[in-house]
Amino acid sequence: MSKNTRGIYLADGSIHRFAEGATTKGLSDHIATRDRSPDFTALGMYLPNPDPILKKLGKDVSVYRDLRGTAPVGGAIRRRKAAVRSREWRLVDSVSGQTGARADQKASPRMMQIAQDTLADLDLDAILGEMLDAPLFGWVPMETMWATVEGTLRPVGLMAKPQEWFLFSPDGQLRFKSRAAPIHGEELQPRKFLVPRQDASYVNPYGFADLSMCFWPTTFMRGGLKFWVTFAEKFGTPWVVGKQPRSAGKKETDELLDQLEAMVQDAVAVVPDDSSVDIKETGSKGDAAGAYRELLMYCRSEVNIALLGQNQTTEASANKASASAGAEVEKTLSDADAKLCEGAINQLLRWLTDLNESEQAPAPRFEMYEEEQVSEVQAKRDGEMSRSGLVFSPQYWAREYNLQPGDIASAGPGQVANPGAQAAKPAAPESLPPLPG
């Protein structure tokens, strides 16, 4: 036996070469792990949230919930969620695109019916609204309630729970911080919690919170608004200056001051005949008020960029072209949010299939989509071409105008598919009477 073929014959007749063991050793194992790294932040107990805002403040994600009370943040959140919740959804039986799935694998009709009935019984609109908190806070734990319905085990409820109640273990597993285990957390039952996350990674299993980009702009906006209100109270009304003779005592001065304070509120005052009252305006107050206004507008713009990806559709100075470009950016962000929701619902359908068929059975897939609007330009063009005599096939009408089977009636005897084509043909000229003599 040559040197290159040295090895040991196994019971199945194959040979394990000595060189193979030396070259493949450790390729399937993790080398860079937390328990071997010089990072001692977790200390083998739990992984802290690496969010820079929360680390500096020493607080949890509850500080981000307070931001939703401001109009720019709350309005942008409603707008972002509405863009996803207004979409239509459907179930497909094809599992192409899933990891390890063959192109010919399809979910069974029975499983498709169970999934359809399950999603129809759930309050999907409210569930999607809670799932869309994941991009805002980075992640959201959602507890699944299971029950037996018509002989099958189905989820009958899906509810988001506070992030402060949970943590991630060093191996990236979700744990519940109960009173009995507040440090390490309790291990959770499989198929019990869905955890939608945005941009989660090995370094940060908590995901990236978009509200972290809104914290400082909102804080400065609140402070600027407070000072702006104080400025308006102080300089928005004229200054009332009272003048008294030098011989006036403190009692007379205090009485005049009280009368001037009442005058500011009621515009009525009674002063001695040897005193005078002047009303003075502040000439430079407009420039100072503009500084506060610019600060508030800048902070509001930063919030819109953080949550909507743009500020062109919310600023009064934007034109139609910039607003259209901004809407495209917002559409891309909405697509990413929809993908996050699809992934969470598909994980739920995977669990549903595991419990009612098998872990190897293909699961239905949940898809969200937008109803495409018919282009007026295309409809006008197709109408002109039909009137000119061009006949489109029923497949074309169904594909381009999203028609359902049965919407297109077949042409009967003596009828044409495009009646406009016959009407567009020029009529034959009528015969003229013969000319006289």
Side-chain angles (χ1 to χ4, degrees), residues 34 39 41 46-56 59 61 64 137-139 168 199-209 212:
R34 286 190 175 93
D39 186 8
T41 55
Y46 67 94
L47 297 179
N49 193 334
D51 187 289
I53 303 296
L54 301 181
K55 288 177 64 177
K56 291 181 180 179
K59 298 182 179 180
V61 294
Y64 291 152
F137 300 94
W139 66 296
F168 284 94
D199 298 336
S201 62
Y202 181 84
V203 177
N204 181 15
Y206 294 88
F208 180 77
S212 64

Side-chain angles (χ1 to χ4, degrees), residues 135-182:
L136 304 176
F137 300 94
W139 66 296
V140 55
M142 304 191 69
E143 187 170 5
T144 309
M145 312 299 175
W146 296 85
T148 302
V149 180
E150 298 179 358
T152 59
L153 191 59
R154 305 181 185 182
V156 295
L158 198 61
M159 183 182 301
K161 298 300 176 69
Q163 290 91 339
E164 304 93 304
W165 295 356
F166 300 86
L167 53 83
F168 284 94
S169 63
D171 56 353
Q173 298 300 317
L174 184 68
R175 289 177 174 268
F176 173 57
K177 294 191 295 184
S178 64
R179 296 182 181 179

Side-chain angles (χ1 to χ4, degrees), residues 2 12 22 48 78 96 100 102 139 167 170 221-222 246 252 289 293 303 307 331-332 346 350 364 376 383 422 431:
S2 64
D12 58 357
R78 288 200 306 269
S96 59
R102 300 194 308 269
W139 66 296
L167 53 83
M221 182 169 55
R222 286 173 171 174
R246 293 180 180 271
E252 291 79 5
R293 186 182 298 107
V303 169
L307 295 180
K331 170 70 165 52
T332 304
N346 284 326
R350 179 67 263 174
E376 295 183 2
Q422 185 179 17
S431 59

Side-chain angles (χ1 to χ4, degrees), residues 247-264:
S247 60
K250 185 177 183 302
K251 180 179 179 182
E252 291 79 5
T253 303
D254 292 341
E255 291 177 355
L256 179 61
L257 180 61
D258 294 339
Q259 293 173 354
L260 295 181
E261 289 180 355
M263 177 183 176
V264 173

Side-chain angles (χ1 to χ4, degrees), residues 109-128:
R110 173 180 175 270
M111 202 63 237
M112 289 290 295
Q113 188 61 47
I114 293 176
Q116 185 72 35
D117 296 341
T118 299
L119 296 182
D121 293 338
L122 293 173
D123 188 356
L124 203 56
D125 184 71
I127 291 174
L128 291 176

